[in-house]
Amino acid sequence: MTAAGLLPLLGILMKGGLGLPKVEAPEPEELRRSLLEHDQEALVRDPELVEGKYARMARDRYAFFRGTAWLWPSRPSAFLSPGASRIALMGDPHPENVGTFTSGAGVQVVDFNDFDRAGFGPYVDDLRRLALALWIAADMGDLGHKHRVKVVNELIEGYELEIKNLAANRAPFALRTNDNAFNGSMQDILVRPTDEQDAAAGAAASPDKVALVRQLLSTYPETLLDGKGLPASMFKIKRVVVAPAGISSYALLRFRVTVEGRSSSASDDRVLDIKESRGALTAAQIVALQRRFQEFPDDDPLLGWATAGDRQFRIRELSAQQRRMDAYRLVRELKSPRWKKRDMRELALALGRLLARGHARAPDASGTPGLAALQAVLAGKADGLAQETAALADAQADAQKAAYHTFKNLLNAQGPRLGWKK
């Protein structure tokens, strides 16, 4: 966002100190202008996709939260240092950006899976985004304020625990689908993202789009961890569809491509997700960060990247075995007798450890793993960090709710593109 575009949102910034933060939602016209500026390039290129994105964001509070990670500026914190302010960040950690992978060694893991907003900055930015996601989901699941605070406390406890764990040279935290910390099962909240993994869904790509995909796949194998051992015939194109998906990234150019696989039999065809990359880092940088952030560098052996002119794309495999966490199933389970309040806290603890592992092991903006800086800044201060994070999540959740209702009113008054015209 440009400096001019940020000015209308300065009213959102905290007023009244770190102890009792006040977060204000933007006024309707401020919100409308900010959304249109953020999506300006996509509106010019493909306004129908932006219209679809806004329709998805209007579904509920959580969907609006997913589509507005950029809206809330970074905030000051009492628990930062220069080193802890340049950590490798996932950028948008929340439950629906967690899913399963089968590594090159055949190990099924649970890990963060969406690094569209990856970059470098204060570690608290990732923590706060994850805390807010859990707060909103817990609220939608009818957990009271006291229990929402406990969920955030467990998130910070898990984060601190993993930093201590790694500093003591113990094995990094590993999350599995059969984790037995829950009374309920993690399987209860994992789903197959069918809108992203149905190879036949989507509109058939035009000849120029197929040509673009062919160009990307010609260089993509060179970016794989073990691309040299794969035959070129494995990436022979069989089908290309244009397949927008997600919420925040719905307006990005995205293809679902069926390729030949290791043999001519359809039984080993592979499906690749080719997604335009428009983050703060290059596609190559994001892929490198993701490999260091996740449990194994080959969580997805077919993770790579490619460019076409000044356009960048990240490429990954989609498989029928993959699952991702689903916020709506989580909400449903919280309302059911299967899941207890403790389960939500245990989930927060696990996600806190997962996030800390990535922050600690991935190189920061100077090329140094983040562990030492995080260990120093957290020493004896986790309780204060938990209080600060919970207070901000509480205040920001209220502002998010108000902004969501403002957004819905804007759509009703201004139309599906918020009054945008060419």
Side-chain angles (χ1 to χ4, degrees):
M1 180 181 290
T2 65
L6 184 58
L7 286 176
L9 291 177
L10 291 180
I12 301 172
L13 290 174
M14 182 167 54
K15 300 176 181 178
L18 289 172
L20 294 172
K22 181 179 180 182
V23 183
E24 296 180 353
E27 295 297 320
E29 186 56 25
E30 294 172 351
L31 179 60
R32 190 181 79 89
R33 287 201 308 265
S34 298
L35 286 163
L36 293 181
E37 180 174 331
H38 179 77
D39 293 319
Q40 182 177 11
E41 186 174 341
L43 280 163
V44 172
R45 184 185 66 218
D46 199 334
E48 289 78 14
L49 284 181
V50 179
E51 183 177 324
K53 171 184 173 179
Y54 290 163
R56 288 186 168 213
M57 286 169 56
R59 289 176 182 172
D60 53 53
R61 291 170 54 200
Y62 196 87
F64 180 77
F65 156 82
R66 284 189 56 184
T68 53
W70 55 272
L71 181 61
W72 310 95
S74 182
R75 311 289 290 278
S77 171
F79 304 95
L80 279 176
S81 67
S85 299
R86 58 175 186 242
I87 298 298
L89 303 180
M90 181 196 166
D92 192 16
H94 61 79
E96 294 206 336
N97 279 347
V98 177
T100 64
F101 295 86
T102 302
S103 73
V107 179
Q108 189 174 70
V109 305
V110 180
D111 231 328
F112 288 112
N113 61 12
D114 188 330
F115 288 76
D116 284 352
R117 295 181 55 82
F120 301 102
Y123 75 100
V124 293
D125 286 1
D126 265 0
L127 262 178
R128 289 166 171 180
R129 179 72 176 166
L130 183 51
L132 179 58
L134 293 171
W135 188 284
I136 293 172
D139 189 16
M140 293 171 66
D142 295 337
L143 292 192
H145 184 274
K146 178 178 69 174
H147 293 292
R148 280 176 262 151
V149 171
K150 288 181 178 179
V151 167
V152 175
N153 288 343
E154 288 289 323
L155 169 68
I156 303 303
E157 182 177 329
Y159 193 91
E160 180 195 29
L161 176 62
E162 185 60 13
I163 296 301
K164 288 181 176 178
N165 183 62
L166 294 174
N169 292 316
R170 289 190 283 267
F173 177 67
L175 187 58
R176 299 290 182 263
T177 57
N178 60 350
D179 192 302
N180 60 5
F182 305 92
N183 291 323
S185 168
M186 191 180 297
Q187 297 285 358
D188 294 335
I189 59 172
L190 292 172
V191 299
R192 180 176 183 266
T194 52
D195 63 329
E196 298 180 13
Q197 294 184 332
D198 184 348
S206 60
D208 62 312
K209 294 291 196 299
V210 174
L212 171 61
V213 169
R214 185 172 289 111
Q215 178 183 352
L216 296 172
L217 292 186
S218 69
T219 60
Y220 149 72
E222 301 168 6
T223 70
L224 301 178
L225 280 178
D226 192 21
K228 294 180 180 179
L230 300 176
S233 59
M234 179 174 171
F235 301 104
K236 178 182 177 182
I237 296 173
K238 301 182 74 171
R239 183 188 299 111
V240 181
V241 299
V242 179
I247 295 181
S248 182
S249 61
Y250 189 81
L252 295 176
L253 183 58
R254 194 167 189 172
F255 304 103
R256 192 161 39 245
V257 183
T258 304
V259 295
E260 185 66 75
R262 291 185 176 272
S263 76
S264 58
S265 170
S267 63
D268 66 352
D269 286 353
R270 301 288 187 101
V271 178
L272 301 177
D273 176 59
I274 301 181
K275 182 179 184 181
E276 192 172 12
S277 188
R278 291 180 171 270
L281 304 181
T282 67
Q285 289 174 318
I286 293 175
V287 167
L289 186 151
Q290 180 172 342
R291 287 173 178 161
R292 296 296 296 272
F293 204 95
Q294 293 177 324
E295 182 176 357
F296 300 113
D298 65 346
D299 264 13
D300 178 358
L302 294 185
L303 175 68
W305 56 274
T307 62
D310 62 352
R311 304 180 77 174
Q312 301 186 41
F313 296 81
R314 298 196 314 279
I315 304 174
R316 63 182 179 126
E317 182 179 14
L318 300 177
S319 74
Q321 290 73 42
Q322 289 173 348
R323 300 289 185 271
R324 65 162 173 79
M325 288 188 184
D326 182 84
Y328 305 101
R329 285 207 176 186
L330 175 57
V331 169
R332 184 190 70 188
E333 292 304 320
L334 289 175
K335 294 180 177 182
S336 79
R338 288 185 299 274
W339 273 53
K340 310 298 183 185
K341 295 180 178 70
R342 174 181 174 275
D343 292 315
M344 185 64 174
R345 298 198 300 271
E346 292 293 342
L347 177 63
L349 183 82
L351 294 181
R353 296 194 68 175
L354 209 62
L355 185 64
R357 189 196 69 197
H359 284 171
R361 299 200 310 175
D364 64 16
S366 69
T368 305
L371 177 59
L374 293 170
Q375 183 184 12
V377 81
L378 286 174
K381 300 177 181 177
D383 287 347
L385 177 61
Q387 293 171 7
E388 178 188 272
T389 306
L392 187 56
D394 188 3
Q396 195 163 351
D398 287 342
Q400 280 271 3
K401 184 185 293 187
Y404 167 61
H405 290 300
T406 298
F407 174 67
K408 286 182 45 173
N409 290 336
L410 284 169
L411 284 177
N412 289 332
Q414 301 284 348
R417 299 175 191 175
L418 295 179
W420 179 86
K421 294 180 177 64
K422 288 186 178 181

